[in-house]
PDB file of all heavy atoms in Angstrom:
ATOM      1  N   MET A 659      11.627 -17.295 -19.669  1.00 50.00           N
ATOM      2  CA  MET A 659      12.656 -18.110 -20.306  1.00 50.00           C
ATOM      3  C   MET A 659      13.516 -18.889 -19.367  1.00 50.00           C
ATOM      4  O   MET A 659      13.775 -19.980 -19.473  1.00 50.00           O
ATOM      5  CB  MET A 659      13.400 -17.313 -21.336  1.00 50.00           C
ATOM      6  CG  MET A 659      14.194 -18.199 -22.228  1.00 50.00           C
ATOM      7  SD  MET A 659      13.337 -19.414 -23.245  1.00 50.00           S
ATOM      8  CE  MET A 659      14.593 -20.269 -24.105  1.00 50.00           C
ATOM      9  N   LEU A 660      14.021 -18.131 -18.380  1.00 49.00           N
ATOM     10  CA  LEU A 660      14.993 -18.548 -17.493  1.00 49.00           C
ATOM     11  C   LEU A 660      14.203 -19.664 -16.521  1.00 49.00           C
ATOM     12  O   LEU A 660      14.712 -20.733 -16.238  1.00 49.00           O
ATOM     13  CB  LEU A 660      15.457 -17.488 -16.522  1.00 49.00           C
ATOM     14  CG  LEU A 660      16.378 -17.910 -15.421  1.00 49.00           C
ATOM     15  CD1 LEU A 660      17.654 -18.500 -15.867  1.00 49.00           C
ATOM     16  CD2 LEU A 660      16.669 -16.778 -14.463  1.00 49.00           C
ATOM     17  N   SER A 661      12.887 -19.342 -16.299  1.00 52.00           N
ATOM     18  CA  SER A 661      12.070 -20.341 -15.511  1.00 52.00           C
ATOM     19  C   SER A 661      12.047 -21.714 -16.302  1.00 52.00           C
ATOM     20  O   SER A 661      12.137 -22.790 -15.655  1.00 52.00           O
ATOM     21  CB  SER A 661      10.757 -19.806 -15.239  1.00 52.00           C
ATOM     22  OG  SER A 661      10.746 -18.691 -14.495  1.00 52.00           O
ATOM     23  N   LEU A 662      11.756 -21.684 -17.550  1.00 53.00           N
ATOM     24  CA  LEU A 662      11.722 -22.853 -18.362  1.00 53.00           C
ATOM     25  C   LEU A 662      12.994 -23.672 -18.395  1.00 53.00           C
ATOM     26  O   LEU A 662      13.076 -24.866 -18.328  1.00 53.00           O
ATOM     27  CB  LEU A 662      11.322 -22.494 -19.762  1.00 53.00           C
ATOM     28  CG  LEU A 662       9.902 -22.056 -20.075  1.00 53.00           C
ATOM     29  CD1 LEU A 662       9.632 -21.618 -21.366  1.00 53.00           C
ATOM     30  CD2 LEU A 662       8.796 -23.038 -19.359  1.00 53.00           C
ATOM     31  N   ILE A 663      14.168 -22.923 -18.523  1.00 66.00           N
ATOM     32  CA  ILE A 663      15.425 -23.594 -18.433  1.00 66.00           C
ATOM     33  C   ILE A 663      15.815 -24.211 -17.118  1.00 66.00           C
ATOM     34  O   ILE A 663      16.300 -25.383 -17.042  1.00 66.00           O
ATOM     35  CB  ILE A 663      16.614 -22.508 -18.746  1.00 66.00           C
ATOM     36  CG1 ILE A 663      16.495 -21.995 -20.171  1.00 66.00           C
ATOM     37  CG2 ILE A 663      17.950 -23.216 -18.479  1.00 66.00           C
ATOM     38  CD1 ILE A 663      17.465 -20.852 -20.451  1.00 66.00           C
ATOM     39  N   LEU A 664      15.401 -23.655 -16.032  1.00 58.00           N
ATOM     40  CA  LEU A 664      15.592 -24.137 -14.734  1.00 58.00           C
ATOM     41  C   LEU A 664      14.652 -25.456 -14.491  1.00 58.00           C
ATOM     42  O   LEU A 664      15.028 -26.455 -14.045  1.00 58.00           O
ATOM     43  CB  LEU A 664      15.218 -23.207 -13.576  1.00 58.00           C
ATOM     44  CG  LEU A 664      16.178 -21.968 -13.537  1.00 58.00           C
ATOM     45  CD1 LEU A 664      15.630 -20.993 -12.532  1.00 58.00           C
ATOM     46  CD2 LEU A 664      17.546 -22.476 -13.030  1.00 58.00           C
ATOM     47  N   LEU A 665      13.433 -25.346 -15.079  1.00 56.00           N
ATOM     48  CA  LEU A 665      12.524 -26.554 -14.914  1.00 56.00           C
ATOM     49  C   LEU A 665      13.083 -27.578 -15.771  1.00 56.00           C
ATOM     50  O   LEU A 665      12.967 -28.830 -15.337  1.00 56.00           O
ATOM     51  CB  LEU A 665      11.140 -26.104 -15.599  1.00 56.00           C
ATOM     52  CG  LEU A 665      10.099 -27.174 -15.454  1.00 56.00           C
ATOM     53  CD1 LEU A 665       9.834 -27.602 -14.001  1.00 56.00           C
ATOM     54  CD2 LEU A 665       8.856 -26.680 -16.009  1.00 56.00           C
ATOM     55  N   ALA A 666      13.601 -27.358 -16.900  1.00 64.00           N
ATOM     56  CA  ALA A 666      14.282 -28.432 -17.784  1.00 64.00           C
ATOM     57  C   ALA A 666      15.340 -29.149 -16.949  1.00 64.00           C
ATOM     58  O   ALA A 666      15.499 -30.291 -17.089  1.00 64.00           O
ATOM     59  CB  ALA A 666      14.714 -27.886 -19.137  1.00 64.00           C
ATOM     60  N   LEU A 667      16.252 -28.219 -16.331  1.00 68.00           N
ATOM     61  CA  LEU A 667      17.426 -28.778 -15.531  1.00 68.00           C
ATOM     62  C   LEU A 667      16.772 -29.681 -14.457  1.00 68.00           C
ATOM     63  O   LEU A 667      17.392 -30.792 -14.158  1.00 68.00           O
ATOM     64  CB  LEU A 667      18.135 -27.689 -15.129  1.00 68.00           C
ATOM     65  CG  LEU A 667      19.123 -26.986 -15.964  1.00 68.00           C
ATOM     66  CD1 LEU A 667      19.665 -25.808 -15.398  1.00 68.00           C
ATOM     67  CD2 LEU A 667      19.970 -27.935 -16.627  1.00 68.00           C
ATOM     68  N   ILE A 668      15.768 -29.287 -13.735  1.00 65.00           N
ATOM     69  CA  ILE A 668      15.314 -30.011 -12.645  1.00 65.00           C
ATOM     70  C   ILE A 668      14.719 -31.350 -13.118  1.00 65.00           C
ATOM     71  O   ILE A 668      14.965 -32.423 -12.535  1.00 65.00           O
ATOM     72  CB  ILE A 668      14.153 -29.231 -11.950  1.00 65.00           C
ATOM     73  CG1 ILE A 668      14.690 -28.054 -11.225  1.00 65.00           C
ATOM     74  CG2 ILE A 668      13.301 -30.084 -11.027  1.00 65.00           C
ATOM     75  CD1 ILE A 668      13.629 -27.022 -10.615  1.00 65.00           C
ATOM     76  N   VAL A 669      13.908 -31.332 -14.301  1.00 60.00           N
ATOM     77  CA  VAL A 669      13.398 -32.608 -14.710  1.00 60.00           C
ATOM     78  C   VAL A 669      14.655 -33.510 -15.182  1.00 60.00           C
ATOM     79  O   VAL A 669      14.568 -34.702 -15.010  1.00 60.00           O
ATOM     80  CB  VAL A 669      12.467 -32.347 -15.958  1.00 60.00           C
ATOM     81  CG1 VAL A 669      12.156 -33.630 -16.735  1.00 60.00           C
ATOM     82  CG2 VAL A 669      11.312 -31.658 -15.497  1.00 60.00           C
ATOM     83  N   GLY A 670      15.611 -32.981 -15.947  1.00 68.00           N
ATOM     84  CA  GLY A 670      16.721 -33.827 -16.356  1.00 68.00           C
ATOM     85  C   GLY A 670      17.517 -34.443 -15.239  1.00 68.00           C
ATOM     86  O   GLY A 670      17.755 -35.762 -15.187  1.00 68.00           O
ATOM     87  N   VAL A 671      17.771 -33.694 -14.151  1.00 63.00           N
ATOM     88  CA  VAL A 671      18.422 -34.157 -12.920  1.00 63.00           C
ATOM     89  C   VAL A 671      17.423 -35.282 -12.284  1.00 63.00           C
ATOM     90  O   VAL A 671      18.060 -36.330 -11.874  1.00 63.00           O
ATOM     91  CB  VAL A 671      18.808 -33.175 -11.978  1.00 63.00           C
ATOM     92  CG1 VAL A 671      19.340 -33.628 -10.706  1.00 63.00           C
ATOM     93  CG2 VAL A 671      19.895 -32.136 -12.628  1.00 63.00           C
ATOM     94  N   SER A 672      16.218 -34.988 -12.278  1.00 62.00           N
ATOM     95  CA  SER A 672      15.298 -35.960 -11.647  1.00 62.00           C
ATOM     96  C   SER A 672      15.229 -37.316 -12.359  1.00 62.00           C
ATOM     97  O   SER A 672      15.333 -38.418 -11.702  1.00 62.00           O
ATOM     98  CB  SER A 672      13.850 -35.371 -11.544  1.00 62.00           C
ATOM     99  OG  SER A 672      13.905 -34.197 -10.873  1.00 62.00           O
ATOM    100  N   LEU A 673      15.319 -37.148 -13.715  1.00 59.00           N
ATOM    101  CA  LEU A 673      15.367 -38.486 -14.456  1.00 59.00           C
ATOM    102  C   LEU A 673      16.723 -39.262 -14.265  1.00 59.00           C
ATOM    103  O   LEU A 673      16.580 -40.477 -14.003  1.00 59.00           O
ATOM    104  CB  LEU A 673      15.260 -38.095 -16.010  1.00 59.00           C
ATOM    105  CG  LEU A 673      13.905 -37.766 -16.556  1.00 59.00           C
ATOM    106  CD1 LEU A 673      14.056 -37.074 -17.980  1.00 59.00           C
ATOM    107  CD2 LEU A 673      13.021 -38.973 -16.644  1.00 59.00           C
ATOM    108  N   TRP A 674      17.790 -38.473 -14.150  1.00 64.00           N
ATOM    109  CA  TRP A 674      19.080 -39.280 -13.867  1.00 64.00           C
ATOM    110  C   TRP A 674      19.093 -39.798 -12.569  1.00 64.00           C
ATOM    111  O   TRP A 674      19.469 -40.988 -12.337  1.00 64.00           O
ATOM    112  CB  TRP A 674      20.260 -38.144 -13.982  1.00 64.00           C
ATOM    113  CG  TRP A 674      21.608 -38.799 -13.792  1.00 64.00           C
ATOM    114  CD1 TRP A 674      22.225 -39.597 -14.515  1.00 64.00           C
ATOM    115  CD2 TRP A 674      22.244 -38.651 -12.506  1.00 64.00           C
ATOM    116  NE1 TRP A 674      23.338 -40.080 -13.867  1.00 64.00           N
ATOM    117  CE2 TRP A 674      23.478 -39.385 -12.651  1.00 64.00           C
ATOM    118  CE3 TRP A 674      21.942 -37.991 -11.314  1.00 64.00           C
ATOM    119  CZ2 TRP A 674      24.413 -39.495 -11.693  1.00 64.00           C
ATOM    120  CZ3 TRP A 674      22.937 -38.066 -10.381  1.00 64.00           C
ATOM    121  CH2 TRP A 674      24.191 -38.876 -10.444  1.00 64.00           C
ATOM    122  N   LEU A 675      18.555 -39.098 -11.485  1.00 59.00           N
ATOM    123  CA  LEU A 675      18.535 -39.601 -10.256  1.00 59.00           C
ATOM    124  C   LEU A 675      17.664 -40.847 -10.006  1.00 59.00           C
ATOM    125  O   LEU A 675      17.954 -41.715  -9.277  1.00 59.00           O
ATOM    126  CB  LEU A 675      18.162 -38.554  -9.214  1.00 59.00           C
ATOM    127  CG  LEU A 675      19.149 -37.463  -8.922  1.00 59.00           C
ATOM    128  CD1 LEU A 675      18.584 -36.319  -8.129  1.00 59.00           C
ATOM    129  CD2 LEU A 675      20.466 -38.017  -8.339  1.00 59.00           C
ATOM    130  N   VAL A 676      16.494 -40.870 -10.762  1.00 56.00           N
ATOM    131  CA  VAL A 676      15.527 -41.829 -10.601  1.00 56.00           C
ATOM    132  C   VAL A 676      15.981 -43.097 -11.379  1.00 56.00           C
ATOM    133  O   VAL A 676      15.675 -44.261 -10.872  1.00 56.00           O
ATOM    134  CB  VAL A 676      14.079 -41.445 -11.004  1.00 56.00           C
ATOM    135  CG1 VAL A 676      13.045 -42.583 -11.054  1.00 56.00           C
ATOM    136  CG2 VAL A 676      13.615 -40.427  -9.983  1.00 56.00           C
ATOM    137  N   LEU A 677      16.359 -42.874 -12.576  1.00 55.00           N
ATOM    138  CA  LEU A 677      16.636 -43.988 -13.682  1.00 55.00           C
ATOM    139  C   LEU A 677      18.032 -44.645 -13.373  1.00 55.00           C
ATOM    140  O   LEU A 677      18.195 -45.783 -13.736  1.00 55.00           O
ATOM    141  CB  LEU A 677      16.474 -43.534 -14.891  1.00 55.00           C
ATOM    142  CG  LEU A 677      15.009 -43.060 -15.239  1.00 55.00           C
ATOM    143  CD1 LEU A 677      15.013 -42.646 -16.724  1.00 55.00           C
ATOM    144  CD2 LEU A 677      14.074 -44.188 -15.169  1.00 55.00           C
ATOM    145  N   SER A 678      19.004 -43.868 -12.967  1.00 59.00           N
ATOM    146  CA  SER A 678      20.375 -44.569 -12.898  1.00 59.00           C
ATOM    147  C   SER A 678      20.420 -45.695 -11.900  1.00 59.00           C
ATOM    148  O   SER A 678      21.273 -46.612 -12.182  1.00 59.00           O
ATOM    149  CB  SER A 678      21.377 -43.463 -12.308  1.00 59.00           C
ATOM    150  OG  SER A 678      21.142 -42.882 -11.175  1.00 59.00           O
TER     151      SER A 678
END
Side-chain angles (χ1 to χ4, degrees):
M659 186 64 184
L660 181 59
S661 298
L662 292 176
I663 294 173
L664 290 175
L665 181 59
L667 288 173
I668 292 172
V669 172
V671 171
S672 299
L673 281 170
W674 178 76
L675 290 173
V676 171
L677 297 179
S678 59

